[in-house]
Amino acid sequence: MKKILLVALLGLFVSQVNAQSVLSSLLNKTLSKESITSIVESVAGKVVSKLDLSVVGTWKYSAAEVQFKSDNLLAEAGGAAMLSTVENSVGKLYAKLGMDSDYSFTFNSDSTFTQNIKVKSKVQTLKGTYSLDKENNLIVLKYQVLGKINLGKVSAIYANNGTSLSILFDANELFTMLKKIASAASSFSSTATLAGLSTIVEQYDGMLLGYKMSRVK
């Protein structure tokens, strides 16, 4: 009986450790809690304690979002002007990948979500579940498999000021996601566009890449 109980407790411990490792994946990539707080404040334009931390609702893509993991990296990259230039370049590449007004997320109160994105000029709906680590402003998206698209589980920083929701991924992680989606489209234009995005990602080590979305309902 003691042996069975020990095995059960060990299984519970392992599952908790795995869950925590997912939620902390961004923190392990040179992101301290302080740097996340700074990024969230920068994106949302408000003090973190006053933010609406819920993401429930429907959100549509409005613009590319780029941040650096530390102020030092931002300074090395050339400051706010360079950041704006990078965001503009990334936004143009996003548009070529089908990330426009049709690109949207709907987060439900039961921890499920749907994500609409264009694949082969047609809007495809990805589904999955999500969880929030509100203390650290982290969101974990766990995708269901859709045809050739298998995105698995990804973590991101999120910032919600009530009318605008920003989601920021480690740049390499987002690039991997978009590559999987583009491979399903099997088009030369997608490959060329990803090459352009890859150049930007490689140019700025320590970059967070994502998008800003506006609330629909």
Side-chain angles (χ1 to χ4, degrees):
M1 180 66 182
K2 289 182 178 180
K3 190 173 182 179
I4 294 174
L5 181 60
L6 180 60
V7 171
L9 289 174
L10 180 60
L12 178 61
F13 173 75
V14 170
S15 65
Q16 290 176 331
V17 169
N18 287 340
Q20 186 60 38
S21 67
V22 171
L23 291 172
S24 302
S25 62
L26 289 179
L27 296 176
N28 293 334
K29 295 175 181 175
T30 69
L31 274 171
S32 65
K33 184 175 181 179
E34 289 73 20
S35 64
I36 289 181
T37 299
S38 176
I39 290 167
V40 170
E41 288 178 344
S42 174
V43 171
K46 291 186 177 183
V47 178
V48 174
S49 61
K50 294 182 181 180
L51 294 179
D52 174 8
L53 294 177
S54 171
V55 297
V56 173
T58 297
W59 308 84
K60 282 197 172 186
Y61 173 87
S62 57
E65 188 83 61
V66 177
Q67 291 288 329
F68 290 93
K69 293 180 181 180
S70 74
D71 292 334
N72 291 336
L73 287 170
L74 177 59
E76 291 172 8
M82 177 59 72
L83 194 64
S84 178
T85 300
V86 174
E87 284 182 337
N88 185 52
S89 298
V90 171
K92 291 178 179 178
L93 293 172
Y94 279 176
K96 292 180 180 179
L97 290 171
M99 295 173 65
D100 51 24
S101 58
D102 290 319
Y103 186 85
S104 67
F105 274 90
T106 296
F107 294 102
N108 303 308
S109 57
D110 63 356
S111 296
T112 61
F113 74 87
T114 56
Q115 176 184 355
N116 290 331
I117 185 169
K118 281 184 179 177
V119 178
K120 294 183 179 180
S121 300
K122 294 182 179 180
V123 177
Q124 299 282 348
T125 300
L126 304 174
K127 298 181 179 181
T129 59
Y130 73 95
S131 60
L132 301 179
D133 175 2
K134 293 185 178 181
E135 183 179 355
N136 293 304
N137 285 91
L138 295 178
I139 183 169
V140 177
L141 304 172
K142 185 176 181 181
Y143 287 88
Q144 297 174 4
V145 178
L146 175 65
K148 296 180 180 179
I149 305 175
N150 183 8
L151 302 182
K153 186 184 295 184
V154 295
S155 302
I157 295 173
Y158 73 99
N160 179 12
N161 65 13
T163 59
S164 178
L165 173 66
S166 291
I167 298 182
L168 288 160
F169 305 84
D170 176 82
N172 290 302
E173 190 166 13
L174 179 61
F175 177 73
T176 298
M177 288 174 58
L178 294 177
K179 187 176 180 181
K180 289 178 180 178
I181 293 173
S183 66
S186 302
S187 66
F188 175 77
S189 59
S190 294
T191 303
T193 301
L194 282 171
L197 187 60
S198 177
T199 299
I200 293 175
V201 171
E202 291 173 358
Q203 186 175 356
Y204 300 101
D205 185 32
M207 183 171 69
L208 296 172
L209 200 58
Y211 28 79
K212 181 183 296 182
M213 299 179 289
S214 55
R215 184 186 287 276
V216 177
K217 59 180 179 179

